[in-house]
Amino acid sequence: MASASNPIGIFDSGIGGLTVLKALREKLPHENFLYLGDTARIPYGTKSPQTIKKYLEQNLKYLAKQNVKAVVIACNSASSVAEEINFSLPIYDVISPGSRLAVEASKACRIGVIATKATVLSKSYVTHIQKIKPHVQVYQQASSLLVPLVEEGWDDDPVTNLIVYRYISPLLKENIDTLVLGCTHYPILKPAIRKVVGANVTLIDSGFALAKKLTEDLQQGVIMANSKDLTGEIRLLTTDSSDTFQANAKRIMLPLEIKPLEIVDIN
Amino acid sequence: MASASNPIGIFDSGIGGLTVLKALREKLPHENFLYLGDTARIPYGTKSPQTIKKYLEQNLKYLAKQNVKAVVIACNSASSVAEEINFSLPIYDVISPGSRLAVEASKACRIGVIATKATVLSKSYVTHIQKIKPHVQVYQQASSLLVPLVEEGWDDDPVTNLIVYRYISPLLKENIDTLVLGCTHYPILKPAIRKVVGANVTLIDSGFALAKKLTEDLQQGVIMANSKDLTGEIRLLTTDSSDTFQANAKRIMLPLEIKPLEIVDIN
């Protein structure tokens, strides 16, 4: 039976989900978090739905064994297959709240989505957005190189700006006024993306949208909230060790200090 | 018991190893080949030695069950941990023949190596090269973005030229006269790499070097050669399905026509 002090599990294929953890931690400082990054099989976004589903199930099973009280799927590629999964605990994915926020933001009803190949092929954002508001036009662009660029640490780099421009300019030609950052790595590239889209396009950070939704559910008792007298703890687990990963995790989580990563075997 | 008509197994983390298969096929048209690409867990080059070793063992076990008569490890990152592995069949990796060819080519005894992070950290090329000729200077450069660029199909692209220049120019400053393409994806980028290094640096394609070594061993009976009256068959297996993969495989293997990829579950 889930207790209020049990952690909220956060799953991602790698470090990108730390941007979601950071947003959650800021809104929910009393909650305990258990982060699991499947770095041994990263990336997910270039793989097939069948393979992503298999990996997601293994990771969810592992988190359930660690007595989490709910699971956040911080990875968009994994979120895009999450609806097909049976799971005993509350699951939060990034696509539903991100879609809702995008629809609220777009006055022109023209929304762009940049995401991994897997997320684009799943059409999850298109389906979710048009379910909320059927006549919204959604323009998608697979942007496979952005994840490796972030992992290489080139987020502030002319080469990255060039690649971001290549991916986003076709969307700007469609006169979008809102752009969904449909991969948890992309908020790290916000300065580069902002340079390309200019001041008049609203950027939607799905992790931020999800943090808002989860906060509401904790306030309303959908999930039991931890005592407000406590300061939450954060544990970071990964399926593969890496110095780069540790360094990147530290950088993303600043100014929060993090404990060393723990390596786990999930299958 | 291995028979002469049994296929030669070729293992790679993805499609890069097809450049090795192509080199082998050209030299050995009578041999049967069974190619296995672990696309469900690609890339290997950003992962830890422990994880790469675990994956390599699973793939080798699978190939052994398919009655291959020898195994070629076409992936440099996997080759970099291959020495620690016990296996009942002859194993050929790309690092030893690549190192030998580089030493033969370098008059200045100054060799550059571009490779994945895993291969660079393993120092396998440095160790092998200096074992053959101790006073050779070896300069390494991890080039993590080159694999995703090839997989994105941007091999003939100004952005790729820019990134190749970024990685290789520090090596040129060291006055290398020979550059090892230490990842099986990189021969696909040969035109871009040639533009950066100019005409006076010898490019070493480890797959080509390996094909030479394997041909010698078949001629000398170290491995039983298939009858010269037969035309070899090629089967391509991968651990994940992907249309991009099929298209890229077709492109790399040209003018040879290939059969559709078969999807297998190796663990």
Side-chain angles (χ1 to χ4, degrees), chain A residues 214-247:
Chain A
L214 187 57
T215 307
E216 285 165 11
D217 280 6
L218 283 159
Q219 282 165 347
Q220 291 167 11
V222 179
I223 307 169
M224 282 183 290
N226 202 19
S227 162
K228 292 220 173 339
D229 301 332
L230 300 168
T231 302
E233 289 198 357
I234 295 176
R235 277 179 67 202
L236 304 180
L237 316 180
T238 57
T239 54
D240 192 20
S241 69
S242 153
D243 292 347
T244 321
F245 193 89
Q246 176 82 45

Side-chain angles (χ1 to χ4, degrees), chain B residues 60-151:
Chain B
L60 289 179
K61 208 168 142 191
Y62 182 88
L63 282 172
K65 270 194 212 149
Q66 311 307 310
N67 296 318
V68 295
K69 61 183 177 186
V71 173
V72 169
I73 304 176
C75 172
N76 282 264
S77 307
S79 291
S80 75
V81 300
E83 277 180 8
E84 300 159 29
I85 288 195
N86 289 320
F87 193 56
S88 54
L89 293 165
I91 290 190
Y92 292 78
D93 71 76
V94 280
I95 292 176
S96 329
S99 300
R100 189 157 290 283
L101 203 62
V103 169
E104 285 166 14
S106 179
K107 303 279 172 271
C109 294
R110 301 178 80 81
I111 298 174
V113 176
I114 50 170
T116 65
K117 205 168 274 180
T119 303
V120 165
L121 286 175
S122 76
K123 293 187 181 158
S124 294
Y125 275 106
V126 183
T127 312
H128 274 84
I129 288 172
Q130 293 182 338
K131 214 177 188 174
I132 304 169
K133 207 167 180 181
H135 68 278
V136 172
Q137 294 292 320
V138 185
Y139 303 93
Q140 298 192 103
Q141 176 64 52
S143 315
S144 304
L145 286 165
L146 300 188
V147 171
L149 282 165
V150 168
E151 274 161 25

Side-chain angles (χ1 to χ4, degrees), chain A residues 4-35:
Chain A
S5 65
N6 286 5
I8 295 167
I10 301 181
F11 165 67
D12 186 46
S13 58
I15 54 163
L18 291 173
T19 61
V20 178
L21 171 59
K22 201 179 177 186
L24 287 172
R25 166 70 186 204
E26 275 165 21
K27 281 202 166 278
L28 306 165
H30 314 293
E31 294 296 332
N32 296 309
F33 291 104
L34 181 68
Y35 184 93

